[in-house]
Amino acid sequence: SNSMFKDATFRICSQLSARYGQHPALAGWLLGHGYTFVEEQVIQSLVLHQTEILPWLRRRYNNDISALKHAWGTHVFENFNEVEISLDNVRCNPVIYSDLRRYLSDQILAYNALQVSTIAQNSPGRWITHAFTPLPFDYRATTLSSQFNFASLVNYPLAQTGNTQSWTSCGTSLTAGLQDVLTEEEKIQFCRMGHPDLNSLGMDFCRSVSASNRFWIADQQCGPVSWGRHSPSPKDGSLRLWTWQAWAHGAEVVSFGCWRRTVKRLNFQHTDGLVHPDNRDANGAKDIRTVQEEMAKLQTKFLAFRGALSPRSLTRAAIVVDCSATWTFDGASETKGSLDYKKMVFLFYSVLRSFSIHVDFVESGSSLSDFDLVVAPSLPHLSGKDFEQMSTIDTPIIIGPSTDLGNCTLLSKLLSLRIRSGETFENGWSEALTLWSALGSSVHEVGPWKESLEVCHDQAMPKNINIDAAFASDGNPAIVHASNVHYLGCYPTKSILRAYLRVIVDRYKLCVLPVPDTIRITQLDGIFVAQNYGGESGQVPLWPGGSAHFLVGGARIEARGVSAWVELA
């Protein structure tokens, strides 16, 4: 938001695009790697420099001081000239905190638009993209993506999986928001391969927000990095696996970082690249040659079977995301540390992928009519558009905790349900729930958030509420559903989500392929691709009675291996 910084950015973009914009060798422009947010530093800076924020507040509240006072829950200010934001106010009032985060998000959009418009003017007809990082839910990333021809991704699987607290400033942009997503056991298990779902979440997000339904990997890790205290090397075959995974999730291009390692400065101990400094092939080059050969064979074989493919396809799910949930949870003392929105999104995504469900990310308020399953990890600001979309489809809908909390007007209409209160747990205190299904009952531990749910009997036409799970301590409802809408009144663990998704799959006859934690299956244009992130070989899960014809690999998939096949009619 700093005017001097914007002026400097304009000069850089203007001069670069004026000089190189029409060069015949220039294909397009990559405008840097992911925008990030360092909470304490940025918030303190905004509070100390409020010159730019106050005009933005006027625009946000249409120059109506009463609207601001109502939103902030204050009667102190008589006009906008009296508005002053202190650190104490920010830390005590989650609405002020959310407004500051919204302001930051708008500044990202405006700053990026400055670069795009300046370059496009001097370099017409060439694509412009930006490399997102995993879990880009600090700002309105879906809106940002509309400024580009397509979205790109920075993919450093080992950096994303390891202990991100140890990275230097050079690495924090690639690992922002990943500190608590994985357990310590998972970090150790996948430290030299990367976690399959952390790798693919960013891919599915970039594909979902690209108008072409395709994306690029702008920077793919090839070896160890030099950003932190610990930097493991990828296991042999990793780059082959990562490249196949990117292709299976819709990548048009995988650009490797880097071709050859420099021997100076930071990169002296950085990734070896595809070739060593003396031009000998590194392991990465061997992997890529293998992929090239396999892709050529796959194309030839696929064309021979294209007219005989089975119409069967995996379930398509929409994950509804809303970055304002991040701002709300981070700004409220009762939810900060208990409700982590990024962690919740990853948890729901990872469980969906454990059933081989195809996932698209859609922004809150978007159309949901094209999906077989809709999942909203949390919608604390459930909007009228969300309500309209969810109330007009028959698709099964799963909604996570803290949705419409503090209002409950729309949730009560959607589900005949009110959230009376929510409570958080200290470390060492636990709650459990009992889940009922057609196969019997099962007991699962609950995460650090529990809600008190109340059925709305006072409605003119209340919906028929069914209780699917109850808390062990008091017997109160924990998971309920009415018609096709299902609500989780607690922070779910992976165990709860897997068990409940199994109930949904059976109830609605969804087309899935359950897999272990180390194997993932993706479907692209009629081709099924299995990737094995484990250290041992395993059996590829196939549909009973299906007719699978393998194009790459076979029914037995080796460690760090890939199998690709088609289902014939």
Side-chain angles (χ1 to χ4, degrees):
S1 60
N2 183 281
S3 58
M4 294 177 63
F5 192 78
K6 287 181 178 178
D7 290 343
T9 298
F10 175 75
R11 291 198 306 273
I12 291 171
C13 292
S14 296
Q15 293 180 30
L16 275 174
S17 59
R19 176 160 182 164
Y20 299 109
Q22 302 293 336
H23 196 288
L26 179 68
W29 297 82
L30 170 64
L31 301 187
H33 289 178
Y35 294 104
T36 58
F37 175 79
V38 183
E39 179 181 4
E40 195 64 24
Q41 295 176 11
V42 177
I43 293 297
Q44 287 187 20
S45 176
L46 290 178
V47 171
L48 292 174
H49 305 89
Q50 299 186 26
T51 307
E52 298 288 339
I53 303 175
L54 295 181
W56 179 88
L57 285 172
R58 286 180 180 271
R59 294 190 297 272
R60 168 155 173 71
Y61 291 102
N62 297 316
N63 210 31
D64 183 355
I65 192 65
S66 297
L68 180 143
K69 290 163 65 175
H70 177 75
W72 287 12
T74 180
H75 301 282
V76 174
F77 313 119
E78 295 300 323
N79 56 67
F80 278 92
N81 294 328
E82 296 181 4
V83 174
E84 185 175 351
I85 304 173
S86 68
L87 280 176
D88 286 341
N89 288 338
V90 172
R91 288 166 178 156
C92 296
N93 190 328
V95 181
I96 299 178
Y97 178 89
S98 292
D99 269 353
L100 291 186
R101 293 288 292 267
R102 187 180 298 276
Y103 166 78
L104 287 171
S105 180
D106 285 356
Q107 297 313 300
I108 288 174
L109 296 177
Y111 176 73
N112 194 78
L114 169 68
Q115 299 178 74
V116 171
S117 61
T118 304
I119 289 173
Q121 183 176 355
N122 291 331
S123 188
R126 289 164 174 84
W127 52 258
I128 301 176
T129 188
H130 165 84
F132 289 91
T133 55
L135 303 179
F137 305 123
D138 281 323
Y139 58 95
R140 291 161 60 197
T142 51
T143 304
L144 181 72
S145 66
S146 66
Q147 299 181 8
F148 304 111
N149 297 92
F150 55 87
S152 297
L153 180 70
V154 183
N155 191 37
Y156 275 69
L158 305 193
Q160 293 155 196
T161 300
N163 183 7
T164 58
Q165 301 281 22
S166 67
W167 297 127
T168 65
S169 59
C170 298
T172 52
S173 65
L174 301 183
T175 59
L178 305 180
Q179 288 84 353
D180 300 316
V181 167
L182 300 178
T183 65
E184 292 303 316
E185 292 77 11
E186 288 173 324
K187 291 178 182 179
I188 294 172
Q189 180 183 5
F190 296 106
C191 71
R192 294 188 63 194
M193 287 295 298
H195 192 286
D197 299 329
L198 264 184
N199 295 354
S200 64
L201 187 151
M203 298 175 189
D204 284 341
F205 174 83
C206 287
R207 186 199 63 248
S208 301
V209 301
S210 290
S212 64
N213 205 34
R214 292 290 188 269
F215 68 98
W216 284 25
I217 301 290
D219 186 0
Q220 173 62 62
Q221 179 178 7
C222 295
V225 296
S226 55
W227 306 323
R229 302 187 187 104
H230 311 291
S231 182
S233 294
K235 289 185 177 181
D236 292 347
S238 296
L239 204 54
R240 170 181 174 247
L241 181 61
W242 297 337
T243 305
W244 268 107
Q245 184 183 38
W247 178 82
H249 283 267
E252 286 187 321
V253 169
V254 178
S255 179
F256 300 95
C258 53
W259 167 250
R260 180 175 51 239
R261 171 176 62 85
T262 180
V263 294
K264 297 179 181 179
R265 300 186 68 184
L266 175 69
N267 283 357
F268 174 65
Q269 292 180 312
H270 197 54
T271 173
D272 277 337
L274 299 183
V275 297
H276 295 297
D278 60 3
N279 290 326
R280 291 180 299 108
D281 281 356
N283 287 339
K286 300 171 185 175
D287 278 0
I288 299 312
R289 288 198 178 93
T290 300
V291 173
Q292 287 179 316
E293 295 170 0
E294 291 172 333
M295 289 276 186
K297 293 178 181 177
L298 177 139
Q299 184 177 15
T300 301
K301 293 180 179 179
F302 178 68
L303 290 175
F305 291 106
R306 194 164 192 173
L309 299 183
S310 167
R312 178 185 283 180
S313 61
L314 294 167
T315 290
R316 286 190 65 209
I319 292 185
V320 181
V321 291
D322 182 5
C323 61
S324 67
T326 304
W327 310 337
T328 298
F329 294 160
D330 287 354
S333 58
E334 66 269 25
T335 57
K336 187 172 184 178
S338 299
L339 290 175
D340 184 322
Y341 184 67
K342 293 182 179 181
K343 190 173 182 179
M344 290 173 69
V345 171
F346 175 74
L347 176 63
F348 277 84
Y349 174 83
S350 185
V351 171
L352 289 173
R353 292 296 300 130
S354 72
F355 283 79
S356 303
I357 292 174
H358 176 97
V359 176
D360 284 308
F361 288 89
V362 300
E363 191 170 21
S364 171
S366 301
S367 173
L368 303 173
S369 59
D370 294 334
F371 300 97
D372 308 310
L373 173 67
V374 172
V375 173
S378 182
L379 289 172
H381 308 288
L382 184 67
S383 68
K385 289 183 178 179
D386 292 319
F387 173 78
E388 180 182 349
Q389 290 296 326
M390 292 182 179
S391 60
T392 55
I393 60 175
D394 297 325
T395 300
I397 302 170
I398 304 175
I399 303 175
S402 196
T403 290
D404 208 22
L405 186 62
N407 182 11
C408 288
T409 304
L410 294 178
L411 185 64
S412 64
K413 292 181 180 178
L414 190 67
L415 201 60
S416 295
L417 191 73
R418 293 191 187 97
I419 305 172
R420 279 303 183 194
S421 62
E423 61 175 315
T424 59
F425 309 141
E426 293 185 18
N427 291 334
W429 196 93
S430 63
E431 171 68 279
L433 62 74
T434 301
L435 174 68
W436 296 285
S437 70
L439 300 178
S441 63
S442 56
V443 178
H444 306 269
E445 187 174 345
V446 174
W449 175 265
K450 172 187 174 182
E451 294 173 354
S452 176
L453 305 180
E454 179 185 61
V455 178
C456 302
H457 295 293
D458 55 343
Q459 288 184 339
M461 296 181 65
K463 298 181 185 296
N464 184 25
I465 293 286
N466 299 276
I467 299 175
D468 293 326
F471 293 114
S473 61
D474 52 25
N476 289 331
I479 302 175
V480 300
H481 81 273
S483 185
N484 63 316
V485 183
H486 308 73
Y487 185 78
L488 282 67
C490 64
Y491 195 123
T493 58
K494 186 178 290 187
S495 171
I496 292 174
L497 276 184
R498 278 183 173 167
Y500 195 56
L501 187 56
R502 181 76 262 177
V503 172
I504 302 297
V505 166
D506 293 341
R507 184 177 292 165
Y508 293 92
K509 305 295 188 292
L510 301 179
C511 193
V512 300
L513 280 171
V515 291
D517 286 338
T518 54
I519 293 179
R520 289 295 180 259
I521 295 176
T522 310
Q523 183 180 7
L524 178 70
D525 298 334
I527 300 175
F528 297 84
V529 181
Q531 311 111 44
N532 184 2
Y533 274 75
E536 300 178 354
S537 62
Q539 196 70 21
V540 175
L542 298 171
W543 280 304
S547 179
H549 187 91
F550 283 87
L551 311 177
V552 174
R556 191 75 185 172
I557 184 171
E558 71 273 15
R560 301 181 299 283
V562 174
S563 290
W565 71 97
V566 292
E567 287 281 342
L568 302 181

